[in-house]
């Protein structure tokens, strides 16, 4: 029997070979904003060092003839901007990294 952790709960189970060959799960970094679909960045609204609030517009990602506004998932400071207007991005490609604001 092996141990399987799902959302901080441990289960005893038998692992299949396919399960053992998979890419291990890693929780996403809370401040990393990545493309959820391949597309083209049409506009970037933030720059490095800028302070943002949860829900502020970060970039517009055009995909499948739709303009998707990518919002800040947390309050924080823009640590890095990895894209510029006109860049083609792939799924899960990092776009912007945010440094979480200190807790009050």
């Amino acid at each position: 029997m092996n141990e399987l952790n799902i959302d901080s709960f441990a289960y005893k189970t038998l692992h299949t070979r396919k399960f053992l060959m998979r890419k291990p799960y890693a929780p996403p970094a809370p401040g990393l904003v990545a493309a959820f679909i391949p597309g083209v960045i049409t506009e970037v609204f933030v720059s490095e060092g800028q302070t943002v609030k949860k829900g502020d517009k970060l970039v517009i990602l055009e995909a499948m003839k739709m303009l998707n506004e990518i919002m800040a998932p947390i309050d924080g400071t823009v640590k890095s901007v990895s894209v510029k207007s006109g860049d083609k991005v792939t799924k899960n490609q990092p776009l912007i990294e945010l440094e979480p604001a200190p807790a009050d």
Side-chain angles (χ1 to χ4, degrees):
M1 295 294 259
N2 297 310
E3 190 169 296
L4 175 68
N5 286 310
I6 300 176
D7 294 332
S8 302
F9 291 101
Y11 299 92
K12 296 279 184 192
T13 185
L14 294 174
H15 293 166
T16 62
R17 184 179 145 167
K18 182 178 178 182
F19 180 85
L20 294 173
M21 300 296 287
R22 82 195 190 310
K23 181 180 174 184
Y25 172 76
L32 185 63
V33 179
F36 65 95
I37 189 171
V40 176
I41 301 298
T42 60
E43 200 164 349
V44 178
F45 296 98
V46 295
S47 58
E48 289 183 19
Q50 184 176 340
T51 302
V52 294
K53 295 278 186 192
K54 182 178 179 179
D56 285 354
K57 199 181 316 184
L58 300 175
V59 299
I60 293 182
L61 170 65
E62 182 177 354
M64 300 178 69
K65 300 181 182 178
M66 293 185 286
L67 299 176
N68 303 284
E69 295 179 343
I70 309 298
M71 308 295 193
I74 58 173
D75 294 347
T77 304
V78 177
K79 189 174 179 182
S80 66
V81 178
S82 304
V83 292
K84 61 184 182 305
S85 183
D87 283 355
K88 290 182 180 178
V89 296
T90 59
K91 183 179 180 180
N92 296 327
Q93 179 177 336
L95 304 175
I96 293 177
E97 188 174 359
L98 301 174
E99 181 77 35
D104 293 330

